[in-house]
Amino acid sequence: MRPVRNGFTLVELLVVLAIIAVLAAILFPVFAQAREKARQTTCLNNQRQLGIAIQLYVQDNDDRLFFYTSLSKPSKSRTGVVVRKERDLPSQRWWNLLLGYLKTRPSLVCPDDDLPTPSEDLKDRWIIPRSYIASRAAEGLGLAQIEFPAEAIVLTEKWGHYEGDPAKIIGDTWIEPFKGDFNYHPEIDQMEIAANRHSGGIISVFFDGHAKWLKPQVLGASKTLTGCDLIHAYPLPFYGMCDKSDAGCTNNGDYNICNHFTYP
C-alpha cells in the first residue's frame, strides 16, 4: 500500500503562495482605485449639495451671487459693499451663507484633502474644516450678467498646501485666476491652488447649481470655465482683477491665465 499523505509538499505550498502574491498584485490596485472613486463620489456629492444652496441663495438675493467680503474703501467687491466691522465678517463668509440654506449640513471637506483649512463659523470660532474655495471671477454677479451659467464656476477645490509642503499653508477663501490660481504645472501634474486631486481632475460647482469633474487642461483652455470672460467683462483694475488688456491692470504678467485668451 502507498502511504497516505497528510499535508502539502513544499513545492505545492510555494505554488499556492505564488498564486496568492500574483492575485494580490492584481487586486490591490483595483481596491485602491475603488476607494479613490468612492472618495471622489463623496466630494462630488458634497459639492452638489452646495450647488443646491447656491441656487436657493441666488433666488433669495435678486438672482445675484454672494460677494467678496471687504473692510477696505473702496470695496474689493464688485458690489461695492464694505463690511463695516470685522466682527460682521463671519456672517458674510460664503460657506456660512450657503450652509444656512441646507437642513442637512454637507461636509465642506473633501475626503482626499489631508489639510483642510480651519474656517470661522457664525460665532467667529475657527472650527469649520474647509476644502472648497469660491471663484472671484463670478463674485457679486447676477444671472443676467452671466452668458453661460452652466460654465461659470462658483466653487471648486483647493490644495491644503503648496507643492506638498505642509509649511506652506493655503488658507485662501477665494480663488483668483488673474493671479495664476488655475495655472497648471504638467511637470508635477498639479495646479497652482485649484486642486486636481481626483484622478488628475478637479470637481467644481457652477452657477446653475450642477457639479462636475474636469481635467485641468480642459479648464485652463477655456476663458469661460476659468472665468476670464467674466473678469474681462466686469474687471476691478484697481485691485488687479483684470486681464492684460485692461487699463490699470496690475496683474499683467504671464502668471495671469487670462492673458492667454482673446476677447471680442
Side-chain angles (χ1 to χ4, degrees):
M1 291 182 62
R2 293 182 179 179
V4 178
R5 292 175 57 187
N6 295 321
F8 297 102
T9 66
L10 178 59
V11 172
E12 290 171 331
L13 286 172
L14 291 174
V15 169
V16 171
L17 291 174
I19 292 172
I20 293 173
V22 170
L23 289 174
I26 294 172
L27 293 176
F28 282 174
V30 175
F31 292 151
Q33 288 179 346
R35 288 194 296 269
E36 161 53 26
K37 195 65 177 179
R39 292 192 294 268
Q40 179 176 328
T41 300
T42 298
C43 188
L44 180 64
N45 287 336
N46 288 345
Q47 295 198 55
R48 281 174 174 164
Q49 290 296 310
L50 291 170
I52 293 172
I54 288 170
Q55 288 297 288
L56 295 173
Y57 176 89
V58 167
Q59 289 172 17
D60 281 350
N61 290 273
D62 299 322
D63 289 335
R64 188 171 295 277
L65 197 61
F66 40 78
F67 60 88
Y68 182 93
T69 51
S70 175
L71 293 167
S72 63
K73 295 181 181 180
S75 174
K76 293 183 180 180
S77 171
R78 284 198 185 98
T79 62
V81 173
V82 175
V83 179
R84 295 183 178 182
K85 299 178 182 178
E86 191 169 353
R87 68 187 181 195
D88 295 329
L89 285 175
S91 66
Q92 299 301 322
R93 296 298 192 191
W94 63 260
W95 56 88
N96 286 323
L97 292 172
L98 295 184
L99 291 177
Y101 279 90
L102 296 173
K103 292 182 179 180
T104 302
R105 176 172 171 173
S107 174
L108 289 174
V109 176
C110 171
D112 276 329
D113 185 2
D114 59 352
L115 191 64
T117 300
S119 304
E120 69 265 52
D121 66 0
L122 290 172
K123 296 182 179 179
D124 201 21
R125 299 173 298 182
W126 295 74
I127 59 174
I128 299 178
R130 176 178 54 84
S131 302
Y132 308 129
I133 188 169
S135 172
R136 282 295 305 279
E139 75 94 4
L141 294 182
L143 179 60
Q145 295 173 287
I146 299 179
E147 186 176 2
F148 304 108
E151 296 182 31
I153 291 176
V154 175
L155 298 179
T156 191
E157 302 182 70
K158 70 173 189 62
W159 295 115
H161 39 68
Y162 291 97
E163 300 177 357
D165 185 349
K168 299 178 180 178
I169 302 295
I170 298 176
D172 302 42
T173 59
W174 293 82
I175 196 161
E176 301 175 315
F178 50 91
K179 290 185 178 179
D181 293 354
F182 276 136
N183 287 3
Y184 174 63
H185 305 288
E187 68 279 6
I188 57 174
D189 188 27
Q190 184 169 314
M191 301 180 79
E192 186 74 17
I193 287 184
N196 56 310
R197 57 168 57 95
H198 298 294
S199 303
I202 183 171
I203 298 173
S204 302
V205 184
F206 296 80
F207 197 94
D208 68 344
H210 85 283
K212 70 178 180 180
W213 178 91
L214 289 168
K215 291 288 286 183
Q217 296 91 332
V218 172
L219 193 158
S222 169
K223 63 183 176 184
T224 305
L225 291 173
T226 54
C228 289
D229 57 342
L230 298 177
I231 291 166
H232 178 79
Y234 308 103
L236 282 175
F238 182 75
Y239 287 112
M241 186 178 177
C242 50
D243 64 87
K244 66 180 180 181
S245 65
D246 291 303
C249 182
T250 58
N251 290 315
N252 56 4
D254 188 58
Y255 62 87
N256 184 344
I257 197 171
C258 299
N259 289 350
H260 303 286
F261 301 109
T262 57
Y263 305 91

